[in-house]
Amino acid sequence: MTQPKTFGVTSAISVAEPTQADIKLSQDLENVLRKYDIFEPENELNNRISVLQQLNALAKSWILEVSIQKSLPRMVAETVGGKIFTFGSYRLGVHTRGADIDTLLVAPRHIDREDFFSSFYAILKDHEHVSELRAIEKAFVPVIKFQFKGIEIDLLFARLALQAIPENLTLGDVELLKNLDYKCVKSLNGCRVTEDILNLVPKAESFRLALRAIKLWAKRRGCYSNTLGFLGGVSWAILMARVCQLYPKAVPATLVHKFFRVLDQWKWPTPVMLRHPEEIPSANLPFPIWDARNNLSDRSHLMPILTPTFPQQNSTFNVTLSTKTVMLEEIKVGLATCEEVFDYKADWNKLFEPTDFFLQVPALYCHSGDSS
């Protein structure tokens, strides 16, 4: 007898097929989500695609020019390529109307970060469709931010130790990290993590709709912000991906329900992982990884949610005791609401009722000294 495929670090909790009632509740969930106008119309999506195509062409043209300036023969310079990758909510397929696009410019080895922040920045500055341009070179992950035809773009840069960037290049191979500085590795990490998340969920479409629901819930309930010590987009995505692994055949409504049930019962600080650390290829590279067994500072993290790609990191290091308390309470409330929905005592609108943030402020401030 063929064993069912295992997703993640454990076997599934349930491989039950969805019932007609589950499917109907999923349809109801999607209808409610559409009322919040979070799905992008086709014309706006096409505009994003057009902007990305123009940005990709601009990057290739710039790399060609810089290559010639660095004494590469034109015939060679015309073959070195370059490519714009996307990651984050846009690449996951869960971005909302008006959201920014996280992008990465990948260049061959003779193009460096100084070129990116000088000559490419100058090209963007002179471009008729670019506005609100600013470079943040000293950020943890250096970035150029701007608007292109009204769409906000966050553009990272990484050069690979390759003579040329083929059009069909993917970034999953850990060997690509060899001979790179840590800033390039961090820049590549967003794309690599996003692709891994998509590859590690059983049913991408169910994952996407369920994640849209959880992101909206988190924003409405005031606990969507990595900066403020809550969870950011990648953390919510990893959590939902783990629930999808535990219920590989579930439809979105069931996934949302199980999301709250699993997290309500989770024994923090046990880390949430999408794959075993020993299954993550590292090519024996020296970059630091999250490891509570050997790194004392990692043991202080309260709600570790680990990225599934080398070098694996905790995406929730900003969580404090107070923000953890708020999130766990909101998860309990979310679970109770889902129970009501599945018992037909409430509809999905109740899940997205906004919180009164100012009722949470005293709890946040009384723990403002938390260093965890």
mmCIF file of all heavy atoms in Angstrom, residues 47-48 50-56 58 101 120 123-124 127-132 145-153:
data_model
loop_
_atom_site.group_PDB
_atom_site.id
_atom_site.type_symbol
_atom_site.label_atom_id
_atom_site.label_comp_id
_atom_site.label_asym_id
_atom_site.label_seq_id
_atom_site.Cartn_x
_atom_site.Cartn_y
_atom_site.Cartn_z
ATOM 1 N N ASN A 47 -1.270 46.032 -14.928
ATOM 2 C CA ASN A 47 -0.386 47.183 -14.796
ATOM 3 C C ASN A 47 0.867 46.820 -14.008
ATOM 4 O O ASN A 47 1.980 47.241 -14.351
ATOM 5 C CB ASN A 47 -1.120 48.338 -14.108
ATOM 6 C CG ASN A 47 -0.297 49.609 -14.079
ATOM 7 O OD1 ASN A 47 0.371 49.960 -15.048
ATOM 8 N ND2 ASN A 47 -0.319 50.320 -12.955
ATOM 9 N N ARG A 48 0.706 46.008 -12.953
ATOM 10 C CA ARG A 48 1.863 45.537 -12.192
ATOM 11 C C ARG A 48 2.807 44.727 -13.084
ATOM 12 O O ARG A 48 4.031 44.888 -13.033
ATOM 13 C CB ARG A 48 1.418 44.662 -11.016
ATOM 14 C CG ARG A 48 0.851 45.425 -9.854
ATOM 15 C CD ARG A 48 0.462 44.467 -8.737
ATOM 16 N NE ARG A 48 -0.209 45.189 -7.670
ATOM 17 C CZ ARG A 48 0.393 45.684 -6.601
ATOM 18 N NH1 ARG A 48 1.687 45.540 -6.460
ATOM 19 N NH2 ARG A 48 -0.286 46.333 -5.676
ATOM 20 N N SER A 50 3.136 44.867 -16.283
ATOM 21 C CA SER A 50 3.781 45.783 -17.223
ATOM 22 C C SER A 50 4.922 46.547 -16.561
ATOM 23 O O SER A 50 6.008 46.707 -17.137
ATOM 24 C CB SER A 50 2.750 46.769 -17.792
ATOM 25 O OG SER A 50 3.380 47.751 -18.596
ATOM 26 N N VAL A 51 4.698 47.022 -15.349
ATOM 27 C CA VAL A 51 5.741 47.750 -14.611
ATOM 28 C C VAL A 51 6.955 46.856 -14.368
ATOM 29 O O VAL A 51 8.110 47.283 -14.540
ATOM 30 C CB VAL A 51 5.177 48.286 -13.282
ATOM 31 C CG1 VAL A 51 6.303 48.667 -12.316
ATOM 32 C CG2 VAL A 51 4.276 49.485 -13.544
ATOM 33 N N LEU A 52 6.712 45.615 -13.980
ATOM 34 C CA LEU A 52 7.817 44.685 -13.734
ATOM 35 C C LEU A 52 8.584 44.386 -15.017
ATOM 36 O O LEU A 52 9.822 44.273 -14.999
ATOM 37 C CB LEU A 52 7.295 43.394 -13.117
ATOM 38 C CG LEU A 52 6.822 43.503 -11.664
ATOM 39 C CD1 LEU A 52 6.090 42.238 -11.231
ATOM 40 C CD2 LEU A 52 8.000 43.779 -10.727
ATOM 41 N N GLN A 53 7.880 44.284 -16.122
ATOM 42 C CA GLN A 53 8.554 44.059 -17.412
ATOM 43 C C GLN A 53 9.429 45.253 -17.782
ATOM 44 O O GLN A 53 10.572 45.081 -18.238
ATOM 45 C CB GLN A 53 7.512 43.792 -18.502
ATOM 46 C CG GLN A 53 6.816 42.447 -18.370
ATOM 47 C CD GLN A 53 5.651 42.287 -19.339
ATOM 48 O OE1 GLN A 53 5.104 43.278 -19.853
ATOM 49 N NE2 GLN A 53 5.244 41.060 -19.583
ATOM 50 N N GLN A 54 8.917 46.454 -17.565
ATOM 51 C CA GLN A 54 9.702 47.658 -17.860
ATOM 52 C C GLN A 54 10.911 47.766 -16.939
ATOM 53 O O GLN A 54 12.006 48.146 -17.374
ATOM 54 C CB GLN A 54 8.817 48.896 -17.727
ATOM 55 C CG GLN A 54 7.726 48.992 -18.784
ATOM 56 C CD GLN A 54 6.792 50.173 -18.545
ATOM 57 O OE1 GLN A 54 7.203 51.328 -18.638
ATOM 58 N NE2 GLN A 54 5.549 49.881 -18.231
ATOM 59 N N LEU A 55 10.737 47.429 -15.670
ATOM 60 C CA LEU A 55 11.845 47.473 -14.724
ATOM 61 C C LEU A 55 12.905 46.436 -15.087
ATOM 62 O O LEU A 55 14.114 46.701 -14.993
ATOM 63 C CB LEU A 55 11.324 47.224 -13.306
ATOM 64 C CG LEU A 55 12.325 47.376 -12.161
ATOM 65 C CD1 LEU A 55 12.913 48.784 -12.140
ATOM 66 C CD2 LEU A 55 11.655 47.056 -10.827
ATOM 67 N N ASN A 56 12.473 45.272 -15.532
ATOM 68 C CA ASN A 56 13.397 44.225 -15.950
ATOM 69 C C ASN A 56 14.216 44.682 -17.158
ATOM 70 O O ASN A 56 15.439 44.487 -17.207
ATOM 71 C CB ASN A 56 12.626 42.953 -16.280
ATOM 72 C CG ASN A 56 13.519 41.737 -16.406
ATOM 73 O OD1 ASN A 56 14.276 41.403 -15.497
ATOM 74 N ND2 ASN A 56 13.453 41.066 -17.550
ATOM 75 N N LEU A 58 14.829 47.787 -17.991
ATOM 76 C CA LEU A 58 15.688 48.869 -17.526
ATOM 77 C C LEU A 58 16.947 48.300 -16.860
ATOM 78 O O LEU A 58 18.065 48.797 -17.084
ATOM 79 C CB LEU A 58 14.913 49.741 -16.548
ATOM 80 C CG LEU A 58 15.421 51.154 -16.264
ATOM 81 C CD1 LEU A 58 15.358 52.009 -17.518
ATOM 82 C CD2 LEU A 58 14.609 51.783 -15.144
ATOM 83 N N ILE A 101 5.537 46.083 -4.190
ATOM 84 C CA ILE A 101 6.097 44.851 -4.743
ATOM 85 C C ILE A 101 7.537 44.737 -4.259
ATOM 86 O O ILE A 101 8.350 45.643 -4.480
ATOM 87 C CB ILE A 101 6.075 44.828 -6.288
ATOM 88 C CG1 ILE A 101 4.679 45.149 -6.832
ATOM 89 C CG2 ILE A 101 6.531 43.458 -6.796
ATOM 90 C CD1 ILE A 101 4.610 45.170 -8.356
ATOM 91 N N PHE A 120 22.737 53.005 -11.258
ATOM 92 C CA PHE A 120 21.342 52.594 -11.457
ATOM 93 C C PHE A 120 20.395 53.548 -10.735
ATOM 94 O O PHE A 120 19.311 53.862 -11.250
ATOM 95 C CB PHE A 120 21.105 51.154 -10.978
ATOM 96 C CG PHE A 120 19.767 50.607 -11.406
ATOM 97 C CD1 PHE A 120 19.493 50.381 -12.743
ATOM 98 C CD2 PHE A 120 18.774 50.326 -10.490
ATOM 99 C CE1 PHE A 120 18.258 49.894 -13.158
ATOM 100 C CE2 PHE A 120 17.540 49.835 -10.880
ATOM 101 C CZ PHE A 120 17.277 49.618 -12.222
ATOM 102 N N ILE A 123 19.859 56.430 -12.987
ATOM 103 C CA ILE A 123 18.915 56.121 -14.076
ATOM 104 C C ILE A 123 17.484 56.228 -13.577
ATOM 105 O O ILE A 123 16.610 56.804 -14.245
ATOM 106 C CB ILE A 123 19.209 54.717 -14.644
ATOM 107 C CG1 ILE A 123 20.507 54.729 -15.450
ATOM 108 C CG2 ILE A 123 18.048 54.232 -15.523
ATOM 109 C CD1 ILE A 123 20.959 53.348 -15.899
ATOM 110 N N LEU A 124 17.225 55.686 -12.397
ATOM 111 C CA LEU A 124 15.883 55.777 -11.823
ATOM 112 C C LEU A 124 15.505 57.235 -11.555
ATOM 113 O O LEU A 124 14.365 57.654 -11.799
ATOM 114 C CB LEU A 124 15.811 54.970 -10.525
ATOM 115 C CG LEU A 124 15.901 53.445 -10.649
ATOM 116 C CD1 LEU A 124 15.984 52.803 -9.263
ATOM 117 C CD2 LEU A 124 14.719 52.874 -11.426
ATOM 118 N N HIS A 127 14.288 58.888 -14.644
ATOM 119 C CA HIS A 127 13.218 58.217 -15.384
ATOM 120 C C HIS A 127 11.893 58.951 -15.188
ATOM 121 O O HIS A 127 11.517 59.301 -14.068
ATOM 122 C CB HIS A 127 13.085 56.769 -14.920
ATOM 123 C CG HIS A 127 12.352 55.887 -15.876
ATOM 124 N ND1 HIS A 127 10.983 55.934 -16.028
ATOM 125 C CD2 HIS A 127 12.796 54.948 -16.753
ATOM 126 C CE1 HIS A 127 10.608 55.043 -16.929
ATOM 127 N NE2 HIS A 127 11.690 54.427 -17.394
ATOM 128 N N GLU A 128 11.171 59.160 -16.268
ATOM 129 C CA GLU A 128 9.943 59.960 -16.214
ATOM 130 C C GLU A 128 8.842 59.314 -15.390
ATOM 131 O O GLU A 128 7.952 60.009 -14.878
ATOM 132 C CB GLU A 128 9.429 60.212 -17.643
ATOM 133 C CG GLU A 128 9.066 58.942 -18.410
ATOM 134 C CD GLU A 128 8.485 59.247 -19.784
ATOM 135 O OE1 GLU A 128 7.877 60.324 -19.940
ATOM 136 O OE2 GLU A 128 8.648 58.404 -20.690
ATOM 137 N N HIS A 129 8.862 57.994 -15.249
ATOM 138 C CA HIS A 129 7.796 57.306 -14.521
ATOM 139 C C HIS A 129 8.162 56.983 -13.069
ATOM 140 O O HIS A 129 7.379 56.339 -12.363
ATOM 141 C CB HIS A 129 7.411 56.008 -15.243
ATOM 142 C CG HIS A 129 6.818 56.231 -16.598
ATOM 143 N ND1 HIS A 129 5.753 57.083 -16.813
ATOM 144 C CD2 HIS A 129 7.152 55.712 -17.814
ATOM 145 C CE1 HIS A 129 5.455 57.085 -18.098
ATOM 146 N NE2 HIS A 129 6.280 56.264 -18.737
ATOM 147 N N VAL A 130 9.346 57.401 -12.625
ATOM 148 C CA VAL A 130 9.802 57.104 -11.266
ATOM 149 C C VAL A 130 9.628 58.336 -10.381
ATOM 150 O O VAL A 130 9.976 59.451 -10.764
ATOM 151 C CB VAL A 130 11.278 56.657 -11.263
ATOM 152 C CG1 VAL A 130 11.812 56.548 -9.820
ATOM 153 C CG2 VAL A 130 11.429 55.311 -11.981
ATOM 154 N N SER A 131 9.083 58.103 -9.186
ATOM 155 C CA SER A 131 8.917 59.191 -8.216
ATOM 156 C C SER A 131 9.217 58.669 -6.818
ATOM 157 O O SER A 131 9.362 57.459 -6.603
ATOM 158 C CB SER A 131 7.492 59.755 -8.271
ATOM 159 O OG SER A 131 6.537 58.750 -7.954
ATOM 160 N N GLU A 132 9.314 59.597 -5.860
ATOM 161 C CA GLU A 132 9.553 59.260 -4.450
ATOM 162 C C GLU A 132 10.735 58.304 -4.281
ATOM 163 O O GLU A 132 10.688 57.346 -3.502
ATOM 164 C CB GLU A 132 8.287 58.686 -3.808
ATOM 165 C CG GLU A 132 7.111 59.665 -3.845
ATOM 166 C CD GLU A 132 5.897 59.167 -3.084
ATOM 167 O OE1 GLU A 132 6.081 58.359 -2.156
ATOM 168 O OE2 GLU A 132 4.784 59.577 -3.430
ATOM 169 N N LYS A 145 13.988 52.348 -2.686
ATOM 170 C CA LYS A 145 12.523 52.426 -2.683
ATOM 171 C C LYS A 145 12.079 53.518 -3.644
ATOM 172 O O LYS A 145 12.687 54.592 -3.700
ATOM 173 C CB LYS A 145 12.007 52.746 -1.275
ATOM 174 C CG LYS A 145 12.246 51.651 -0.244
ATOM 175 C CD LYS A 145 11.826 52.125 1.145
ATOM 176 C CE LYS A 145 11.854 50.991 2.154
ATOM 177 N NZ LYS A 145 10.667 50.130 2.070
ATOM 178 N N PHE A 146 11.006 53.263 -4.383
ATOM 179 C CA PHE A 146 10.494 54.262 -5.316
ATOM 180 C C PHE A 146 9.099 53.850 -5.778
ATOM 181 O O PHE A 146 8.632 52.731 -5.495
ATOM 182 C CB PHE A 146 11.426 54.411 -6.525
ATOM 183 C CG PHE A 146 11.702 53.135 -7.281
ATOM 184 C CD1 PHE A 146 10.994 52.797 -8.426
ATOM 185 C CD2 PHE A 146 12.704 52.262 -6.853
ATOM 186 C CE1 PHE A 146 11.258 51.630 -9.118
ATOM 187 C CE2 PHE A 146 12.983 51.086 -7.537
ATOM 188 C CZ PHE A 146 12.256 50.766 -8.678
ATOM 189 N N GLN A 147 8.453 54.774 -6.469
ATOM 190 C CA GLN A 147 7.200 54.472 -7.159
ATOM 191 C C GLN A 147 7.450 54.478 -8.660
ATOM 192 O O GLN A 147 8.131 55.359 -9.180
ATOM 193 C CB GLN A 147 6.120 55.491 -6.809
ATOM 194 C CG GLN A 147 5.569 55.328 -5.412
ATOM 195 C CD GLN A 147 4.238 56.036 -5.215
ATOM 196 O OE1 GLN A 147 3.629 56.521 -6.171
ATOM 197 N NE2 GLN A 147 3.772 56.105 -3.984
ATOM 198 N N PHE A 148 6.905 53.465 -9.327
ATOM 199 C CA PHE A 148 7.024 53.362 -10.781
ATOM 200 C C PHE A 148 5.602 53.335 -11.329
ATOM 201 O O PHE A 148 4.863 52.387 -11.083
ATOM 202 C CB PHE A 148 7.776 52.088 -11.168
ATOM 203 C CG PHE A 148 8.283 52.067 -12.588
ATOM 204 C CD1 PHE A 148 9.653 52.073 -12.843
ATOM 205 C CD2 PHE A 148 7.415 52.035 -13.672
ATOM 206 C CE1 PHE A 148 10.138 52.049 -14.143
ATOM 207 C CE2 PHE A 148 7.878 52.021 -14.970
ATOM 208 C CZ PHE A 148 9.242 52.024 -15.210
ATOM 209 N N LYS A 149 5.219 54.410 -12.009
ATOM 210 C CA LYS A 149 3.842 54.549 -12.506
ATOM 211 C C LYS A 149 2.837 54.355 -11.372
ATOM 212 O O LYS A 149 1.788 53.730 -11.551
ATOM 213 C CB LYS A 149 3.575 53.573 -13.649
ATOM 214 C CG LYS A 149 4.309 53.905 -14.927
ATOM 215 C CD LYS A 149 3.866 53.000 -16.078
ATOM 216 C CE LYS A 149 4.478 53.444 -17.397
ATOM 217 N NZ LYS A 149 4.068 52.566 -18.526
ATOM 218 N N GLY A 150 3.164 54.885 -10.188
ATOM 219 C CA GLY A 150 2.251 54.851 -9.059
ATOM 220 C C GLY A 150 2.303 53.594 -8.226
ATOM 221 O O GLY A 150 1.630 53.510 -7.189
ATOM 222 N N ILE A 151 3.103 52.606 -8.630
ATOM 223 C CA ILE A 151 3.227 51.358 -7.866
ATOM 224 C C ILE A 151 4.501 51.405 -7.038
ATOM 225 O O ILE A 151 5.591 51.668 -7.548
ATOM 226 C CB ILE A 151 3.248 50.136 -8.801
ATOM 227 C CG1 ILE A 151 1.897 50.000 -9.513
ATOM 228 C CG2 ILE A 151 3.569 48.866 -8.014
ATOM 229 C CD1 ILE A 151 1.834 48.870 -10.509
ATOM 230 N N GLU A 152 4.356 51.168 -5.737
ATOM 231 C CA GLU A 152 5.507 51.202 -4.844
ATOM 232 C C GLU A 152 6.383 49.972 -5.055
ATOM 233 O O GLU A 152 5.886 48.844 -5.101
ATOM 234 C CB GLU A 152 5.055 51.268 -3.388
ATOM 235 C CG GLU A 152 4.390 52.586 -3.016
ATOM 236 C CD GLU A 152 4.096 52.680 -1.525
ATOM 237 O OE1 GLU A 152 4.835 52.042 -0.729
ATOM 238 O OE2 GLU A 152 3.144 53.371 -1.160
ATOM 239 N N ILE A 153 7.673 50.215 -5.188
ATOM 240 C CA ILE A 153 8.653 49.160 -5.416
ATOM 241 C C ILE A 153 9.724 49.220 -4.336
ATOM 242 O O ILE A 153 10.269 50.287 -4.051
ATOM 243 C CB ILE A 153 9.333 49.308 -6.793
ATOM 244 C CG1 ILE A 153 8.303 49.363 -7.937
ATOM 245 C CG2 ILE A 153 10.356 48.193 -7.017
ATOM 246 C CD1 ILE A 153 7.639 48.059 -8.251
#
